[in-house]
Amino acid sequence: MELTYFGHSCFLLETNGKKILIDPFISPNELASEIDVNDIRCDYLLLSHGHEDHVADVDAVLKNNKDCKVVSNFEIIGWIQGKGHENVHPMNHGGKFEFDFGSVKYVNAVHSSVLPDGTYGGNPGGFVFESEGKTIYYAGDTALTMDMQLIGTYSKPDLAILPIGDNFTMGVDDAIICSDFIKCDNVIGMHYDTFPPVKIDHEEAKTKFNKAGKNLELMEIGSKKAY
Ligand code: NI
Ligand code: MN
């Protein structure tokens, strides 16, 4: 499987021949000015919650990918259907479903969620992917929460994509505790540097993870990694 980083919390996961785009916020992100959202092709669009910095480019993605299946919670799927896009798959917390690329479980996040037009976004979540014999936890926007221990109980992810920018979500120190809870030593950071309150010191963050016996990767925007 391959993972491409498009900045902030937006990733493209490619597995079993399918492209899964998560939380598109590219055109408003100055740090991602090299990326053209109109170049992105995907088979699935996953949305963790309704905030602008996770759904800003939904219309562009749907315009360019009319056949993509949108996966999110029940309330956000209602908002997507209101746009006239009917290829959808609603989920809710604790539920897992087998898609043609692998399984997705929608898991708890402690945060808030409203869509940019004021529509209620339901409760925010994260995703646990199982595909090609690997497990990836994408936390979404969340505080550190004891519920993360459940993920370490049933999954033990090979890779965790965690928010580390603090202020709106966990910061580095809490993300390290999270990685203990989920029993995963391989972390990719997200939700940092995009806005002034979430700017972080990259070297300090990596050093803190190293001291805890863990690896933090901060992917270059536009870069791709194989797993
Ligand atoms: Ni948010
Ligand atoms: Mn956010």
Side-chain angles (χ1 to χ4, degrees):
M1 64 177 67
E2 279 187 330
L3 199 62
T4 306
Y5 185 44
F6 290 130
H8 199 51
S9 297
C10 182
F11 291 83
L12 183 76
L13 175 66
E14 296 179 63
T15 182
N16 285 324
K18 302 292 176 187
K19 294 175 192 280
I20 302 128
L21 184 69
I22 313 168
D23 283 7
F25 174 77
I26 296 164
S27 55
N29 184 358
E30 285 173 21
L31 301 181
S33 58
E34 304 284 296
I35 311 293
D36 185 348
V37 68
N38 292 308
D39 291 341
I40 297 176
R41 294 293 169 270
C42 61
D43 302 293
Y44 289 86
L45 172 62
L46 269 62
L47 303 172
S48 66
H49 68 294
H51 287 157
E52 172 80 15
D53 59 320
H54 300 259
V55 303
D57 284 318
V58 162
D59 288 343
V61 171
L62 295 183
K63 176 168 69 75
N64 297 318
N65 299 276
K66 294 204 187 312
D67 295 328
C68 85
K69 187 181 286 285
V70 183
V71 180
S72 189
N73 68 24
F74 184 81
E75 290 80 6
I76 291 174
I77 289 302
W79 178 75
I80 292 288
Q81 287 173 309
K83 296 175 177 292
H85 189 90
E86 284 300 332
N87 190 3
V88 293
H89 186 100
M91 299 185 76
N92 221 323
H93 296 82
K96 178 176 168 179
F97 188 80
E98 293 285 341
F99 293 91
D100 57 1
F101 60 85
S103 71
V104 176
K105 185 168 184 171
Y106 191 62
V107 296
N108 291 358
V110 173
H111 191 66
S112 60
S113 181
V114 65
L115 289 147
D117 62 6
T119 302
Y120 173 59
N123 289 311
F127 301 104
V128 177
F129 298 93
E130 287 179 337
S131 180
E132 299 182 44
K134 295 206 168 69
T135 302
I136 298 179
Y137 170 44
Y138 175 94
D141 280 10
T142 182
L144 176 66
T145 161
M146 296 298 279
D147 286 353
M148 288 161 173
Q149 292 186 354
L150 293 172
I151 294 168
T153 303
Y154 57 66
S155 279
K156 297 186 184 62
D158 300 284
L159 177 70
I161 304 172
L162 304 179
I164 55 168
D166 225 329
N167 192 74
F168 298 115
T169 66
M170 297 189 283
V172 169
D173 296 333
D174 283 357
I176 290 169
I177 297 171
C178 167
S179 69
D180 282 336
F181 282 179
I182 63 175
K183 302 190 172 81
C184 175
D185 292 337
N186 248 331
V187 174
I188 291 179
M190 65 174 172
H191 215 276
Y192 63 92
D193 284 358
T194 318
F195 316 112
V198 302
K199 282 214 184 339
I200 65 159
D201 180 327
H202 292 204
E203 285 318 308
E204 185 187 357
K206 288 181 189 174
T207 302
K208 282 183 170 178
F209 270 82
N210 285 340
K211 281 187 177 154
K214 297 167 188 293
N215 183 54
L216 173 69
E217 175 142 11
L218 302 177
M219 289 178 73
E220 292 280 327
I221 295 175
S223 72
K224 189 182 260 203
K225 278 212 73 164
Y227 285 94

